[in-house]
Amino acid sequence: MDLSSNAFDGECREPIAPARLARIPKAYTTRFVAESINQDATGYHLLSGDSIKPQAGDVVIARVTEIGKHARLESPVSRRQLLFPGQEIMVAYGNRYAPDQFLAYVPESLEPCSLIAGGGIAGAVKEMHASIDAATSIEPIGLLADEQGVVNLSRFAPLSVDAPSVAAVNAVGSARPRVIAVLGTSMNSGKSTTLGCLVNGLTNAGLNVAAGKATGTGAGNDPNLFHDGGATRVVDFTDFGYPTTFLLDYETVRGLLSSMIQELSAAVDGTAPDVVVIEIADGVYQGETSRLLADPIYASLVDATIFAAADALGAVAGLDVLQRAKVNVAAVSGLVTASPLASAEAQSVLPVQLINTYDLCNAEVAQGIIDDLAVRA
């Protein structure tokens, strides 16, 4: 192995052969870096040593040491690649907040850590849900670097975050598209399915719909669902260079929301969308989500919110939180509607309409949400 070291900073550099780099399975989160490598895999090396301190978004080459919760790695095109012990993989460091899975952070060094999300996130697990398997263990070999330094996702991302600006969103056109946000009580409350069905219903109504995911953990499932629902354009936070949004500074989170809405509101090939639909991950008590809801910029950018709940009590309590934050809730939907009994409980006490998730695919139902906005305006 051809290694050179710097005795002053404890940094080791290992050239990585193009053939080796090309054959390493790459994660969805690293897809823009992977595109660059596919064009030219020369000029890369690995950085390791005691002085190396990873940052969120840094790309790392790691070796799988033990298979756990995530036995497959989502590829740049969302194929589920089976993992094998001893295999090298290319993933990105990130923090993760997932109540049903892991609470994890970017480690302080290139110490052994875990694959904390199938989309390709490396992190050190601090807590985990009692019902799941331990995370897949990985051993970082080194940070991927080139002549410009450490390869970070932000450098290869096609989009960038601007300062939060309602004016910039409004300047997209004299009649900007309606913006609807979907959020929920928690992880797995039915947010993404609700948004996908809403996109489908609006598309069935003859509307041009753009969709995005503003916060969460990088993976291709939700963007692909939005595409399948009929969205003419889809972006998420990974397109802006973030593997996850947990622990991003709040100004970046605000800027990400407004930049995403601005990007999705713009005309493509001369055609602007009629509606922009945005998913905001996790529950109303999650840090970044809670701050967004309390921020005046949310009400300025978002015309209506659909709230996905897992059960009747969550629907009522969550709606109360949103209404106290002066959020305009158009409807409640989500996992609660999978149960007729839970739906009946919720509808008997909710002051807003409860819409079955899959009823949102109906053109008249989806169009009715837009029509209600026009009446209120």
Side-chain angles (χ1 to χ4, degrees), residues 6 32-33 54-55 64 80 100 119 175 186 194 196 218 252 255 258 294 305-306 326 331 333 335 348 368:
N6 185 320
F32 300 117
V33 178
Q55 304 294 317
V64 177
R80 300 291 174 170
D100 288 0
S186 63
T194 295
T252 299
S258 65
T305 296
I306 295 181
K326 301 188 184 307
S333 189
L335 191 60
S348 68

Side-chain angles (χ1 to χ4, degrees), residues 42-344:
T42 62
Y44 291 93
H45 57 275
L46 299 179
L47 291 179
S48 61
D50 295 339
S51 67
I52 301 298
K53 183 176 180 179
Q55 304 294 317
D58 285 350
V59 174
V60 60
I61 304 299
R63 182 177 294 108
V64 177
T65 55
E66 185 175 357
I67 305 297
K69 166 64 178 174
H70 294 102
R72 296 176 183 270
L73 181 69
E74 186 178 7
S75 78
V77 295
S78 288
R79 187 178 76 81
R80 300 291 174 170
Q81 308 168 102
L82 189 65
L83 294 175
F84 295 88
Q87 182 179 43
E88 292 181 345
I89 57 175
M90 188 173 92
V91 295
Y93 279 106
N95 303 295
R96 189 175 190 199
Y97 179 100
D100 288 0
Q101 290 193 23
F102 304 110
L103 174 65
Y105 301 95
V106 176
E108 294 290 316
S109 68
L110 292 179
E111 63 196 68
C113 58
S114 301
L115 180 66
I116 56 173
I121 310 293
V125 175
K126 181 176 180 181
E127 298 174 0
M128 59 178 284
H129 196 283
S131 69
I132 66 170
D133 294 335
T136 291
S137 299
I138 59 175
E139 181 180 47
I141 300 169
L143 297 183
L144 187 66
D146 59 15
E147 68 281 357
Q148 297 183 51
V150 172
V151 171
N152 189 281
L153 300 183
S154 59
R155 179 148 57 94
F156 291 76
L159 302 176
S160 60
V161 172
D162 299 321
S165 174
V166 175
V169 173
N170 290 335
V172 168
S174 57
R176 73 167 176 85
R178 294 292 189 181
V179 177
I180 300 175
V182 176
L183 48 87
T185 51
S186 63
M187 182 181 180
N188 294 328
S189 59
K191 297 181 300 296
S192 298
T193 304
T194 295
L195 191 146
C197 288
L198 178 61
V199 167
N200 186 244
L202 294 170
T203 300
N204 291 337
L207 300 177
N208 183 310
V209 187
K213 185 169 182 175
T215 63
T217 299
N221 291 349
D222 292 344
N224 288 334
L225 170 61
F226 305 162
H227 274 298
D228 292 345
T232 55
R233 189 171 184 212
V234 175
V235 300
D236 75 355
F237 52 87
T238 64
D239 293 296
F240 290 82
Y242 301 103
T244 72
T245 56
F246 178 46
L247 296 185
L248 281 182
D249 66 276
Y250 183 61
E251 281 304 302
T252 299
V253 175
R254 294 178 81 233
L256 185 53
L257 178 65
S258 65
S259 297
M260 183 174 293
I261 293 174
Q262 181 181 350
E263 183 70 28
L264 289 172
S265 298
V268 176
D269 296 330
T271 303
D274 301 300
V275 185
V276 170
V277 188
I278 300 285
E279 179 183 345
I280 298 175
D282 302 312
V284 294
Y285 291 137
Q286 195 272 347
E288 289 81 20
T289 302
S290 178
R291 290 192 69 178
L292 274 178
L293 293 174
D295 193 319
I297 198 170
Y298 182 89
S300 299
L301 294 173
V302 176
D303 299 303
T305 296
I306 295 181
F307 185 61
D311 56 30
L313 183 59
V316 175
L319 180 62
D320 179 63
V321 171
L322 294 175
Q323 289 182 328
R324 282 191 280 112
K326 301 188 184 307
V327 171
N328 173 29
V329 180
V332 171
S333 189
L335 191 60
V336 63
T337 66
S339 166
L341 287 175
S343 294

Side-chain angles (χ1 to χ4, degrees), residues 26-41 44 76-77 90 156-158 239:
K26 299 165 183 67
Y28 175 83
T29 55
T30 69
R31 65 192 183 282
F32 300 117
V33 178
E35 285 180 9
S36 181
I37 291 172
N38 288 340
Q39 294 172 7
D40 184 2
Y44 291 93
V77 295
M90 188 173 92
F156 291 76
D239 293 296

Side-chain angles (χ1 to χ4, degrees), residues 3-17:
L3 292 179
S4 60
S5 64
N6 185 320
F8 295 100
D9 60 17
E11 179 183 286
C12 296
R13 300 189 179 201
E14 174 194 351
I16 182 166

